Amino acid sequence: MSGNNAFEHGGNLYATTRKNGGSFNEILDFSANINPLGLSVKIRRSLEESLESVIHYPDAEAYALKQAISQFYHVDSERIAIGNGAVELMYVLCHIITPKRVLVTAPTFSEYESAARASGATVEYFYLNEKYGFAIDLDAIAKQLVDIDIVFICNPNNPTGTLVSTQQVEQFIVTAKSQNTYVVVDESFIDFLPDAALYTCRNLLAQYDNLIILHSLTKFYAIPGLRLGFSLANPTLTLLLHKGKDPWNVNTLAQNAGVVALGDTGYQTASIEYIQEAKKDLYNKLLAIKGLKPYFPSVNFILVNCKETLLTAAQLVEIMTSYNILIRNCDNYPGLSCDYFRVAVKKPEQNTLLVNALQKVIGGNR
């Protein structure tokens, strides 16, 4: 895969409506992995109340937001850098470290590769095996770390949903440290897990200065239009990240929304509980459709193989778009073929519309 299509993402409602007409409200977007519960009442109120503050510059230190992140995730403030989405910090990080060789798993989130290439690095792949459900074999990856400056691990991995435990990652970090390799763990979807403590690496930060954690708040709190994320790393690197970015990179509305979001325990609990049930229900309904092979999800998205339908993912995307339903074609992920697409988990009535449309297009249940 090459050219602009290599780094295309889901959730491109603007391009769809420009091409096909209509409005956002007419489209069901299963191509972006956003919390189906949508914007919380508290965040919406915060945005309205913060509107007048946009006549001032944002807090370049993001003090209140760092305090909220520190308290919620139990991490020292001096380890926190705030980003206009986690993706911004990937690019800043690569420009600071200027790696020569970067290793990424495949398939995984394409911005790791894009950020590495933007800094002049050569990118190598460790291909996850479909035969083993795309499991992330950290022992095998560790053998490929010689002369690698940065390795990116997405946990849970997008688009496969596969997970690695904190213990597994710690052993990997130890090996990487002996090779002078930075380990970047992207935990952007970890808040959807009911047992996130088993998978997060936050408690390893004080022990390993080669560990960097990236975290997005836009997915879980349904604020992709605001953009908000952060990194956790050793204090020296965090200071470099802070100096390497635009001083006002995160606007006031986003900073205030982040503070309110992290204090909204009702929304957090409701979101985790909803996803736990809805992902299983949608998985079982997709599994029942003739020709589809969904992979059991860990969080709020499901990877699906459609090879037996004799339709490519691109063809399915085109047909589903005619129903005003967007799904994510995954043929531009290194490590995946034209047989894969991904769908987000949404509200029950929306999931039903997706399933009904797929049944109609593909030909019903098994």
Side-chain angles (χ1 to χ4, degrees), residues 204-217:
L204 304 179
L205 283 164
Q207 296 170 257
Y208 304 104
D209 59 9
N210 65 323
L211 169 64
I212 301 149
I213 297 173
L214 296 174
H215 198 124
S216 168
L217 294 175

mmCIF file with all atom_site columns, all heavy atoms in Angstrom, residues 204-217:
data_model
loop_
_atom_site.group_PDB
_atom_site.id
_atom_site.type_symbol
_atom_site.label_atom_id
_atom_site.label_alt_id
_atom_site.label_comp_id
_atom_site.label_asym_id
_atom_site.label_entity_id
_atom_site.label_seq_id
_atom_site.pdbx_PDB_ins_code
_atom_site.Cartn_x
_atom_site.Cartn_y
_atom_site.Cartn_z
_atom_site.occupancy
_atom_site.B_iso_or_equiv
_atom_site.pdbx_formal_charge
_atom_site.auth_seq_id
_atom_site.auth_comp_id
_atom_site.auth_asym_id
_atom_site.auth_atom_id
_atom_site.pdbx_PDB_model_num
ATOM 1   N N   . LEU A 1 204 ? 4.619   0.952  35.736 1.00 0.00 ? 204 LEU A N   1
ATOM 2   C CA  . LEU A 1 204 ? 6.003   0.625  35.387 1.00 0.00 ? 204 LEU A CA  1
ATOM 3   C C   . LEU A 1 204 ? 6.838   1.869  35.079 1.00 0.00 ? 204 LEU A C   1
ATOM 4   O O   . LEU A 1 204 ? 8.057   1.771  34.907 1.00 0.00 ? 204 LEU A O   1
ATOM 5   C CB  . LEU A 1 204 ? 6.027   -0.313 34.164 1.00 0.00 ? 204 LEU A CB  1
ATOM 6   C CG  . LEU A 1 204 ? 5.241   -1.617 34.278 1.00 0.00 ? 204 LEU A CG  1
ATOM 7   C CD1 . LEU A 1 204 ? 5.350   -2.406 32.969 1.00 0.00 ? 204 LEU A CD1 1
ATOM 8   C CD2 . LEU A 1 204 ? 5.747   -2.455 35.445 1.00 0.00 ? 204 LEU A CD2 1
ATOM 9   N N   . LEU A 1 205 ? 6.187   3.012  35.004 1.00 0.00 ? 205 LEU A N   1
ATOM 10  C CA  . LEU A 1 205 ? 6.876   4.227  34.559 1.00 0.00 ? 205 LEU A CA  1
ATOM 11  C C   . LEU A 1 205 ? 8.072   4.582  35.446 1.00 0.00 ? 205 LEU A C   1
ATOM 12  O O   . LEU A 1 205 ? 9.127   4.988  34.949 1.00 0.00 ? 205 LEU A O   1
ATOM 13  C CB  . LEU A 1 205 ? 5.900   5.405  34.534 1.00 0.00 ? 205 LEU A CB  1
ATOM 14  C CG  . LEU A 1 205 ? 4.926   5.436  33.353 1.00 0.00 ? 205 LEU A CG  1
ATOM 15  C CD1 . LEU A 1 205 ? 3.785   6.402  33.640 1.00 0.00 ? 205 LEU A CD1 1
ATOM 16  C CD2 . LEU A 1 205 ? 5.653   5.834  32.071 1.00 0.00 ? 205 LEU A CD2 1
ATOM 17  N N   . ALA A 1 206 ? 7.921   4.430  36.746 1.00 0.00 ? 206 ALA A N   1
ATOM 18  C CA  . ALA A 1 206 ? 8.998   4.831  37.659 1.00 0.00 ? 206 ALA A CA  1
ATOM 19  C C   . ALA A 1 206 ? 10.220  3.919  37.541 1.00 0.00 ? 206 ALA A C   1
ATOM 20  O O   . ALA A 1 206 ? 11.332  4.325  37.871 1.00 0.00 ? 206 ALA A O   1
ATOM 21  C CB  . ALA A 1 206 ? 8.477   4.825  39.093 1.00 0.00 ? 206 ALA A CB  1
ATOM 22  N N   . GLN A 1 207 ? 10.016  2.695  37.062 1.00 0.00 ? 207 GLN A N   1
ATOM 23  C CA  . GLN A 1 207 ? 11.121  1.728  36.977 1.00 0.00 ? 207 GLN A CA  1
ATOM 24  C C   . GLN A 1 207 ? 11.879  1.789  35.652 1.00 0.00 ? 207 GLN A C   1
ATOM 25  O O   . GLN A 1 207 ? 13.058  1.456  35.605 1.00 0.00 ? 207 GLN A O   1
ATOM 26  C CB  . GLN A 1 207 ? 10.565  0.302  37.147 1.00 0.00 ? 207 GLN A CB  1
ATOM 27  C CG  . GLN A 1 207 ? 9.952   0.016  38.491 1.00 0.00 ? 207 GLN A CG  1
ATOM 28  C CD  . GLN A 1 207 ? 9.229   -1.312 38.480 1.00 0.00 ? 207 GLN A CD  1
ATOM 29  O OE1 . GLN A 1 207 ? 8.013   -1.374 38.418 1.00 0.00 ? 207 GLN A OE1 1
ATOM 30  N NE2 . GLN A 1 207 ? 9.995   -2.391 38.515 1.00 0.00 ? 207 GLN A NE2 1
ATOM 31  N N   . TYR A 1 208 ? 11.194  2.184  34.587 1.00 0.00 ? 208 TYR A N   1
ATOM 32  C CA  . TYR A 1 208 ? 11.794  2.053  33.259 1.00 0.00 ? 208 TYR A CA  1
ATOM 33  C C   . TYR A 1 208 ? 11.727  3.396  32.509 1.00 0.00 ? 208 TYR A C   1
ATOM 34  O O   . TYR A 1 208 ? 10.661  3.839  32.085 1.00 0.00 ? 208 TYR A O   1
ATOM 35  C CB  . TYR A 1 208 ? 11.076  0.970  32.449 1.00 0.00 ? 208 TYR A CB  1
ATOM 36  C CG  . TYR A 1 208 ? 11.058  -0.355 33.164 1.00 0.00 ? 208 TYR A CG  1
ATOM 37  C CD1 . TYR A 1 208 ? 9.898   -0.818 33.791 1.00 0.00 ? 208 TYR A CD1 1
ATOM 38  C CD2 . TYR A 1 208 ? 12.208  -1.143 33.237 1.00 0.00 ? 208 TYR A CD2 1
ATOM 39  C CE1 . TYR A 1 208 ? 9.892   -2.031 34.465 1.00 0.00 ? 208 TYR A CE1 1
ATOM 40  C CE2 . TYR A 1 208 ? 12.211  -2.354 33.921 1.00 0.00 ? 208 TYR A CE2 1
ATOM 41  C CZ  . TYR A 1 208 ? 11.047  -2.783 34.526 1.00 0.00 ? 208 TYR A CZ  1
ATOM 42  O OH  . TYR A 1 208 ? 11.053  -3.983 35.209 1.00 0.00 ? 208 TYR A OH  1
ATOM 43  N N   . ASP A 1 209 ? 12.886  4.020  32.336 1.00 0.00 ? 209 ASP A N   1
ATOM 44  C CA  . ASP A 1 209 ? 12.892  5.317  31.657 1.00 0.00 ? 209 ASP A CA  1
ATOM 45  C C   . ASP A 1 209 ? 12.816  5.183  30.138 1.00 0.00 ? 209 ASP A C   1
ATOM 46  O O   . ASP A 1 209 ? 12.776  6.199  29.426 1.00 0.00 ? 209 ASP A O   1
ATOM 47  C CB  . ASP A 1 209 ? 14.103  6.156  32.070 1.00 0.00 ? 209 ASP A CB  1
ATOM 48  C CG  . ASP A 1 209 ? 15.416  5.463  31.763 1.00 0.00 ? 209 ASP A CG  1
ATOM 49  O OD1 . ASP A 1 209 ? 15.403  4.417  31.078 1.00 0.00 ? 209 ASP A OD1 1
ATOM 50  O OD2 . ASP A 1 209 ? 16.467  5.965  32.207 1.00 0.00 ? 209 ASP A OD2 1
ATOM 51  N N   . ASN A 1 210 ? 12.815  3.943  29.622 1.00 0.00 ? 210 ASN A N   1
ATOM 52  C CA  . ASN A 1 210 ? 12.627  3.750  28.176 1.00 0.00 ? 210 ASN A CA  1
ATOM 53  C C   . ASN A 1 210 ? 11.157  3.485  27.814 1.00 0.00 ? 210 ASN A C   1
ATOM 54  O O   . ASN A 1 210 ? 10.841  3.173  26.671 1.00 0.00 ? 210 ASN A O   1
ATOM 55  C CB  . ASN A 1 210 ? 13.493  2.595  27.653 1.00 0.00 ? 210 ASN A CB  1
ATOM 56  C CG  . ASN A 1 210 ? 13.100  1.240  28.232 1.00 0.00 ? 210 ASN A CG  1
ATOM 57  O OD1 . ASN A 1 210 ? 12.730  1.164  29.403 1.00 0.00 ? 210 ASN A OD1 1
ATOM 58  N ND2 . ASN A 1 210 ? 13.188  0.179  27.437 1.00 0.00 ? 210 ASN A ND2 1
ATOM 59  N N   . LEU A 1 211 ? 10.262  3.599  28.813 1.00 0.00 ? 211 LEU A N   1
ATOM 60  C CA  . LEU A 1 211 ? 8.826   3.388  28.574 1.00 0.00 ? 211 LEU A CA  1
ATOM 61  C C   . LEU A 1 211 ? 8.117   4.731  28.361 1.00 0.00 ? 211 LEU A C   1
ATOM 62  O O   . LEU A 1 211 ? 8.298   5.668  29.142 1.00 0.00 ? 211 LEU A O   1
ATOM 63  C CB  . LEU A 1 211 ? 8.195   2.672  29.770 1.00 0.00 ? 211 LEU A CB  1
ATOM 64  C CG  . LEU A 1 211 ? 6.655   2.607  29.798 1.00 0.00 ? 211 LEU A CG  1
ATOM 65  C CD1 . LEU A 1 211 ? 6.118   1.797  28.613 1.00 0.00 ? 211 LEU A CD1 1
ATOM 66  C CD2 . LEU A 1 211 ? 6.176   2.001  31.128 1.00 0.00 ? 211 LEU A CD2 1
ATOM 67  N N   . ILE A 1 212 ? 7.329   4.789  27.304 1.00 0.00 ? 212 ILE A N   1
ATOM 68  C CA  . ILE A 1 212 ? 6.491   5.965  27.010 1.00 0.00 ? 212 ILE A CA  1
ATOM 69  C C   . ILE A 1 212 ? 5.072   5.453  26.763 1.00 0.00 ? 212 ILE A C   1
ATOM 70  O O   . ILE A 1 212 ? 4.887   4.511  25.970 1.00 0.00 ? 212 ILE A O   1
ATOM 71  C CB  . ILE A 1 212 ? 6.998   6.717  25.765 1.00 0.00 ? 212 ILE A CB  1
ATOM 72  C CG1 . ILE A 1 212 ? 8.448   7.184  25.974 1.00 0.00 ? 212 ILE A CG1 1
ATOM 73  C CG2 . ILE A 1 212 ? 6.088   7.905  25.439 1.00 0.00 ? 212 ILE A CG2 1
ATOM 74  C CD1 . ILE A 1 212 ? 9.254   7.236  24.707 1.00 0.00 ? 212 ILE A CD1 1
ATOM 75  N N   . ILE A 1 213 ? 4.111   6.048  27.423 1.00 0.00 ? 213 ILE A N   1
ATOM 76  C CA  . ILE A 1 213 ? 2.710   5.658  27.235 1.00 0.00 ? 213 ILE A CA  1
ATOM 77  C C   . ILE A 1 213 ? 1.966   6.793  26.538 1.00 0.00 ? 213 ILE A C   1
ATOM 78  O O   . ILE A 1 213 ? 2.113   7.960  26.915 1.00 0.00 ? 213 ILE A O   1
ATOM 79  C CB  . ILE A 1 213 ? 2.037   5.344  28.592 1.00 0.00 ? 213 ILE A CB  1
ATOM 80  C CG1 . ILE A 1 213 ? 2.714   4.136  29.259 1.00 0.00 ? 213 ILE A CG1 1
ATOM 81  C CG2 . ILE A 1 213 ? 0.545   5.062  28.397 1.00 0.00 ? 213 ILE A CG2 1
ATOM 82  C CD1 . ILE A 1 213 ? 2.224   3.873  30.675 1.00 0.00 ? 213 ILE A CD1 1
ATOM 83  N N   . LEU A 1 214 ? 1.215   6.431  25.523 1.00 0.00 ? 214 LEU A N   1
ATOM 84  C CA  . LEU A 1 214 ? 0.339   7.400  24.849 1.00 0.00 ? 214 LEU A CA  1
ATOM 85  C C   . LEU A 1 214 ? -1.105  7.084  25.201 1.00 0.00 ? 214 LEU A C   1
ATOM 86  O O   . LEU A 1 214 ? -1.476  5.908  25.329 1.00 0.00 ? 214 LEU A O   1
ATOM 87  C CB  . LEU A 1 214 ? 0.533   7.341  23.329 1.00 0.00 ? 214 LEU A CB  1
ATOM 88  C CG  . LEU A 1 214 ? 1.911   7.724  22.813 1.00 0.00 ? 214 LEU A CG  1
ATOM 89  C CD1 . LEU A 1 214 ? 1.996   7.468  21.318 1.00 0.00 ? 214 LEU A CD1 1
ATOM 90  C CD2 . LEU A 1 214 ? 2.213   9.191  23.114 1.00 0.00 ? 214 LEU A CD2 1
ATOM 91  N N   . HIS A 1 215 ? -1.901  8.124  25.355 1.00 0.00 ? 215 HIS A N   1
ATOM 92  C CA  . HIS A 1 215 ? -3.287  7.908  25.780 1.00 0.00 ? 215 HIS A CA  1
ATOM 93  C C   . HIS A 1 215 ? -4.174  8.984  25.143 1.00 0.00 ? 215 HIS A C   1
ATOM 94  O O   . HIS A 1 215 ? -3.891  10.170 25.263 1.00 0.00 ? 215 HIS A O   1
ATOM 95  C CB  . HIS A 1 215 ? -3.373  8.008  27.304 1.00 0.00 ? 215 HIS A CB  1
ATOM 96  C CG  . HIS A 1 215 ? -4.604  7.394  27.881 1.00 0.00 ? 215 HIS A CG  1
ATOM 97  N ND1 . HIS A 1 215 ? -4.570  6.408  28.837 1.00 0.00 ? 215 HIS A ND1 1
ATOM 98  C CD2 . HIS A 1 215 ? -5.908  7.617  27.633 1.00 0.00 ? 215 HIS A CD2 1
ATOM 99  C CE1 . HIS A 1 215 ? -5.794  6.053  29.154 1.00 0.00 ? 215 HIS A CE1 1
ATOM 100 N NE2 . HIS A 1 215 ? -6.635  6.777  28.439 1.00 0.00 ? 215 HIS A NE2 1
ATOM 101 N N   . SER A 1 216 ? -5.220  8.537  24.483 1.00 0.00 ? 216 SER A N   1
ATOM 102 C CA  . SER A 1 216 ? -6.193  9.466  23.902 1.00 0.00 ? 216 SER A CA  1
ATOM 103 C C   . SER A 1 216 ? -7.411  9.557  24.809 1.00 0.00 ? 216 SER A C   1
ATOM 104 O O   . SER A 1 216 ? -7.845  8.558  25.393 1.00 0.00 ? 216 SER A O   1
ATOM 105 C CB  . SER A 1 216 ? -6.623  8.963  22.521 1.00 0.00 ? 216 SER A CB  1
ATOM 106 O OG  . SER A 1 216 ? -7.757  9.683  22.077 1.00 0.00 ? 216 SER A OG  1
ATOM 107 N N   . LEU A 1 217 ? -7.957  10.750 24.956 1.00 0.00 ? 217 LEU A N   1
ATOM 108 C CA  . LEU A 1 217 ? -9.226  10.907 25.674 1.00 0.00 ? 217 LEU A CA  1
ATOM 109 C C   . LEU A 1 217 ? -10.388 11.090 24.707 1.00 0.00 ? 217 LEU A C   1
ATOM 110 O O   . LEU A 1 217 ? -11.540 11.151 25.124 1.00 0.00 ? 217 LEU A O   1
ATOM 111 C CB  . LEU A 1 217 ? -9.145  12.117 26.614 1.00 0.00 ? 217 LEU A CB  1
ATOM 112 C CG  . LEU A 1 217 ? -8.140  11.985 27.769 1.00 0.00 ? 217 LEU A CG  1
ATOM 113 C CD1 . LEU A 1 217 ? -8.048  13.288 28.558 1.00 0.00 ? 217 LEU A CD1 1
ATOM 114 C CD2 . LEU A 1 217 ? -8.500  10.840 28.694 1.00 0.00 ? 217 LEU A CD2 1
#
